[in-house]
Amino acid sequence: MPSITTVVAQALHTAAAVLREDAPQDGMVFGELWERILARSPRLKEDWAQAVRESPQEVNTRFKNYVNRSASNLVRAGWLYRGMRRWQLTGIGLDALDRTPDPVDFYLEATRRYRKWERQQREVAVAVTALEQLPDGGYWVVLEEMAAEFGIDSEVLGTVLLGTRPSGWYLALGEDGQAGAGLPLLPHERDQWRSLLDEEGLLDVGRSSLDTVRALSDQRMPVWEALAAAKQPLEETAADEETPRQLWIIRGVDAATGVPLIRGPWRDNAVVTLDTGFQPPTMAARDLDSVRRVVETALPATGHARREAVARELDAFLNRMRQGDIVLSTDGFETYVGVVGGPAAHGAERLERPVDWRNLGKPLDFLKDLPSGLSGVVQDADSQVLEATEYAETVLALIGDMPRAVSLPTGPAVLPDATAELAEALHMPDTTWLQDCVELLRATPQLIFHGPPGTGKTYTALALARHLAGASSATNVRLVQFHPAYAYEDFFEGIRPCLGGGQDGDTSGGLAYDLVRGPLRKLADEAERRPAEVFVLVIDEINRGHLAKIFGELYFLLEYRTERVHLLYGSDDGRGFRLPPNLHILGTMNTVDRSVAYMDAAMRRRFSFMELHPEIPPVKGVLASWLRKRTEERGGDPDTYDDSYVRLLDEINRLLAESSPGDRSFRVGPSYFMQDLAHSGDGALERLWRTQIIPLLTEHHWGDVIDVDVVYGLPGLRERLNILPPPAEDTAGDADEAANPASQ
């Protein structure tokens, strides 16, 4: 089943290709472009219907609107310009289309750039406002200086200006006055830049050419001077129509009476406030680091953890909150929702924002009306200000205010049934065993495959994970391997040294330390953002790690997916962290590994277990099935396949059962005989026996009186089973024909 991400990626990639071929200069109105997208990729509507689980007749308008909204990623990346209702591919977009022919890669790269802008969107908005207010008289500024003044990546600012083209966008140039500041431009883009600079009296005709446009160097204005001469003070810019509205949970209690402020001044004055106890930072503190410095000066005797919490609350209220965002506050079980009306105002010891409270006469019921996830965040929060944006549209719907953007399907994610194709790929006789795995994951989202070596545990886990994730498996499935040195900081998140503070590869600031997300945290964050998609983390050799040390406080969340816990390093910003229900964990466990202990009872209770053992289905018969298919692919009769490999494997496991009666934890799996080494020419089986089978059995019988070479030697087994060595044959190219599902 296709995912929403895959379908939208295909639509936008097709749109870019149409614009490149059919409207490279003038662009195209979206209605006409949409018809051409569907004509070129007729399956898109059907794929979208499957992804959102609706009939094709119901999805056209919604699909069209969603693609239109999703194009914001391309606009913020500078790949697409939408002006006068026309879509126009930029030079940067054309370059991206040539470099990334795969639609999903194309869309994910645009999304990555969008996220980069999103992290700096407030600073970008203020910089754009400053650019719009450049004094009259024909001046230009250096793009890199403007970006540095506001703490923005210059590439982010340059691409956003090209994609959105606000007033004065063409006045931010390269160091030498070059239009585009080194970014790829199409001929008509250079012509437009030339015309705009000429109208301003800034075009340097002598230094411009057909391929280069430059401004007069003596009309360059230093950024600090331009800001000082701005036509009006810089103010907070409201979120535009394409930016998702954020939801903020605000706590406030009157210090003297203990009464919630929403019952008094917040309600009466249509505001929300944040008390600091000291002179709060001003709008000049545009980022968290600036706010931290203010807090450290104001609270020198306070512990670092408390100062950090205060700084994060102030930064959220002052910098991250925007006009148009939603705020939520409670008075007992009564819940009130409002919309932020403007920027922060400063008092002696507090910050204040205007709020249009929407449901003062009809408060929501905390327990009955709010979704359980949001009520858990509100109830458990220990911060005055915390973000819960994933619930913004739900809250807006509750108070009858329509959201600005078409939302992603909210889930829940549905695990697909096992298919005959999956069973065939794994050489299993039918889907029964695989469907049992799916049903267990539906009931408990953690499952472990356990069994002896060579039974294909990891191969099966990865195949099942990719089937469950569907078309998004490239991004929604991740593999990690546990070992005795693996820790919580490797798996979830931890402090790591980095160069230059860890921001965007900057190495100029020396050694610093940053909180780095591990594979589980990254996948969980993505799963939280995309609740309708299935995500799977595969943990290989899960019993080789110190599980209590690796999982830490996450132990609890494995069993209680709807609950939240506060994280060790405080990165949940006071709101708590949960493991999303659409994140599933598949583990593998080698039952013969004597270097590690089995799981403790608490961890075993949180996982379901499925055995892969050579003596029982679905592993029993896998080798024979694989050999039949291999024989058929080589042009032979599958019913006459060479069964000597099956007989040898069965004999090894019979001897192992005799040597350890009652202990079935150690057997040899069929994967050893399903690899290139076993089928790569004369002496192949002998090499396999000498380098893999005998060493494995020697380790198992370490300290026993059994002579491994005598009991398990290949010549002796062949003689007992009446198996003759195969005749020499031409095996050129065989190595590429043998599949290799071997995994421990």
Side-chain angles (χ1 to χ4, degrees):
M1 179 182 296
S3 71
I4 293 172
T5 299
T6 304
V7 180
V8 173
Q10 181 65 53
L12 289 174
H13 191 270
T14 303
V18 170
L19 291 172
R20 176 179 61 183
E21 296 169 15
D22 299 342
Q25 180 170 333
D26 298 327
M28 190 178 295
V29 294
F30 182 57
E32 179 184 359
L33 178 61
W34 182 248
E35 292 179 359
R36 299 199 186 193
I37 291 171
L38 295 181
R40 184 171 294 200
S41 301
R43 278 191 53 84
L44 280 175
K45 286 178 63 175
E46 181 181 344
D47 289 344
W48 172 266
Q50 292 180 15
V52 298
R53 298 177 179 86
E54 295 180 2
S55 67
Q57 293 76 21
E58 298 173 340
V59 303
N60 184 52
T61 301
R62 184 181 178 199
F63 182 24
K64 180 179 178 181
N65 290 339
Y66 191 83
V67 171
N68 197 2
R69 297 280 185 181
S70 299
S72 297
N73 291 17
L74 275 64
V75 172
R76 302 300 179 186
W79 297 1
L80 181 70
Y81 170 61
R82 295 186 297 191
M84 301 299 291
R85 297 180 58 246
R86 303 183 76 84
W87 286 33
Q88 189 176 29
L89 195 66
T90 67
I92 312 174
L94 180 61
D95 180 66
L97 190 61
D98 290 337
R99 286 187 294 101
T100 50
D102 180 76
V104 174
D105 290 344
F106 179 80
Y107 182 62
L108 291 180
E109 174 63 16
T111 302
R112 185 190 69 79
R113 292 170 179 263
Y114 177 89
R115 298 297 181 203
K116 201 171 182 181
W117 161 79
E118 192 175 41
R119 292 193 295 269
Q120 307 176 67
Q121 59 181 305
R122 185 186 176 281
E123 292 81 1
V124 171
V126 178
V128 168
T129 302
L131 193 60
E132 292 174 337
Q133 297 181 18
L134 282 178
D136 298 330
Y139 298 101
W140 61 274
V141 295
V142 176
L143 175 70
E144 290 189 356
E145 289 183 2
M146 177 70 76
E149 178 68 22
F150 292 96
I152 309 168
D153 185 314
S154 60
E155 182 184 12
V156 170
L157 181 58
T159 54
V160 167
L161 290 176
L162 279 177
T164 59
R165 301 188 190 177
S167 175
W169 65 274
Y170 53 89
L171 298 176
L173 306 172
E175 179 72 28
D176 61 350
Q178 181 178 348
L183 296 171
L185 298 178
L186 295 172
H188 69 270
E189 291 178 306
R190 283 194 294 270
D191 291 342
Q192 183 183 18
W193 224 307
R194 181 182 288 105
S195 176
L196 291 170
L197 291 178
D198 192 27
E199 289 178 8
E200 296 277 351
L202 292 174
L203 181 64
D204 190 335
V205 178
R207 295 198 306 150
S208 299
S209 65
L210 187 64
D211 298 327
T212 306
V213 179
R214 285 190 171 88
L216 294 167
S217 57
D218 57 359
Q219 294 301 107
R220 168 181 170 179
M221 176 177 281
V223 168
W224 64 267
E225 186 177 330
L227 295 178
K231 300 170 186 175
Q232 60 187 31
L234 298 181
E235 296 181 355
E236 179 174 271
T237 303
D240 64 34
E241 291 297 317
E242 293 173 351
T243 304
R245 299 164 78 173
Q246 301 170 105
L247 173 64
W248 301 94
I249 298 169
I250 310 289
R251 295 172 176 272
V253 177
D254 186 283
T257 64
V259 174
L261 293 173
I262 187 61
R263 197 184 300 179
W266 288 5
R267 169 193 289 265
D268 298 339
N269 301 324
V271 297
V272 65
T273 59
L274 181 65
D275 293 328
T276 61
F278 56 86
Q279 180 64 47
T282 66
M283 285 288 289
R286 300 188 184 98
D287 55 39
L288 180 57
D289 287 338
S290 301
V291 176
R292 283 188 180 120
R293 289 192 288 271
V294 173
V295 174
E296 287 171 2
T297 302
L299 304 174
T302 305
H304 173 76
R306 178 56 188 159
R307 287 203 309 268
E308 179 67 15
V310 171
R312 288 184 177 275
E313 291 172 0
L314 282 170
D315 179 59
F317 196 93
L318 180 65
N319 295 325
R320 295 171 57 204
M321 190 180 294
R322 302 187 308 266
Q323 181 178 339
D325 282 354
I326 308 102
V327 293
L328 180 150
S329 193
T330 57
D331 177 7
F333 290 118
E334 295 181 344
T335 304
Y336 298 91
V337 180
V339 177
V340 177
H346 294 71
E349 293 186 349
R350 75 176 191 177
L351 293 169
E352 177 181 292
R353 279 182 177 267
V355 170
D356 176 16
W357 295 104
R358 297 293 179 87
N359 65 331
L360 292 175
K362 191 178 180 181
L364 301 172
D365 186 287
F366 174 83
L367 294 177
K368 295 180 180 178
D369 296 327
L370 298 189
S372 59
L374 177 58
S375 60
V377 174
V378 176
Q379 189 175 31
D380 193 44
D382 58 3
S383 300
Q384 291 186 73
V385 183
L386 65 152
E387 184 185 356
T389 298
E390 65 268 31
Y391 298 103
E393 293 182 2
T394 302
V395 171
L396 286 169
L398 288 172
I399 63 172
D401 193 354
M402 294 302 292
R404 294 180 178 178
V406 178
S407 62
L408 282 169
T410 56
V414 177
L415 292 179
D417 288 339
T419 63
E421 292 78 13
L422 177 62
E424 182 181 358
L426 293 172
H427 300 282
M428 295 184 180
D430 53 45
T431 63
T432 303
W433 189 88
L434 290 167
Q435 187 60 34
D436 286 344
C437 294
V438 174
E439 296 299 339
L440 287 171
L441 285 169
R442 288 170 177 168
T444 303
Q446 293 93 225
L447 174 65
I448 287 178
F449 296 147
H450 65 104
T455 48
K457 297 180 290 297
T458 305
Y459 186 83
T460 302
L462 284 171
L464 178 60
R466 289 164 181 152
H467 168 73
L468 296 176
S472 298
S473 61
T475 57
N476 293 16
V477 174
R478 180 164 298 190
L479 171 71
V480 297
Q481 188 172 60
F482 281 5
H483 52 78
Y486 206 67
Y488 175 94
E489 289 75 12
D490 304 304
F491 185 51
F492 190 69
E493 66 180 7
I495 302 296
R496 291 285 184 269
C498 56
L499 294 175
Q503 297 298 320
D504 300 319
D506 176 25
T507 60
S508 60
L511 187 64
Y513 293 87
D514 204 358
L515 185 60
V516 177
R517 295 184 304 159
L520 176 58
R521 182 66 191 270
K522 289 178 181 178
L523 208 60
D525 289 348
E526 283 300 312
E528 194 73 73
R529 281 193 287 268
R530 292 146 61 188
E533 297 183 25
V534 175
F535 289 76
V536 186
L537 179 66
V538 178
I539 305 176
D540 197 27
E541 305 282 11
I542 189 171
N543 59 322
R544 290 186 61 81
H546 189 313
L547 297 183
K549 177 181 177 183
I550 293 172
F551 279 92
E553 69 271 19
L554 306 177
Y555 237 54
F556 172 78
L557 298 181
L558 291 173
E559 186 170 5
Y560 300 98
R561 288 296 187 97
T562 61
E563 301 295 331
R564 292 177 180 266
V565 299
H566 293 297
L567 298 175
L568 178 64
Y569 291 98
S571 61
D572 55 297
D573 291 331
R575 58 171 294 175
F577 171 84
R578 71 167 185 165
L579 283 177
N582 58 321
L583 172 59
H584 301 266
I585 297 176
L586 289 177
T588 70
M589 190 167 72
N590 195 337
T591 54
V592 77
D593 194 340
R594 297 176 178 178
S595 65
V596 294
Y598 282 97
M599 288 181 169
D600 59 41
M603 185 59 81
R604 291 184 69 89
R605 189 177 72 247
R606 287 160 167 80
F607 284 83
S608 300
F609 288 80
M610 289 291 283
E611 186 179 33
L612 287 166
H613 197 279
E615 296 174 354
I616 60 174
V619 182
K620 183 178 178 63
V622 162
L623 180 56
S625 173
W626 184 85
L627 288 168
R628 286 193 193 95
K629 184 175 181 180
R630 180 176 182 273
T631 301
E632 183 177 13
E633 289 174 347
R634 292 163 59 87
D637 183 353
D639 293 330
T640 61
Y641 75 95
D642 180 4
D643 68 347
S644 60
Y645 293 92
V646 177
R647 294 164 60 198
L648 286 168
L649 177 63
D650 290 345
E651 180 65 11
I652 292 174
N653 287 327
R654 186 189 67 78
L655 293 171
L656 286 169
E658 286 183 355
S659 66
S660 303
D663 180 11
R664 59 193 300 275
S665 63
F666 182 77
R667 297 291 187 272
V668 176
S671 296
Y672 287 99
F673 298 89
M674 298 165 65
Q675 54 179 317
D676 296 350
L677 184 61
H679 305 273
S680 56
D682 295 342
L685 189 59
E686 286 79 1
R687 282 192 297 273
L688 172 71
W689 221 267
R690 184 175 64 254
T691 60
Q692 294 190 15
I693 301 298
I694 292 299
L696 179 70
L697 297 171
T698 300
E699 181 182 355
H700 173 64
H701 286 293
W702 189 262
D704 296 349
V705 296
I706 293 176
D707 188 326
V708 172
D709 287 319
V710 171
V711 176
Y712 299 101
L714 182 58
L717 291 180
R718 277 176 167 163
E719 183 177 350
R720 287 200 296 274
L721 297 174
N722 194 26
I723 296 174
L724 298 176
E729 60 176 333
D730 181 10
T731 59
D734 284 0
D736 293 332
E737 296 180 12
N740 179 18
S743 184
Q744 301 305 308

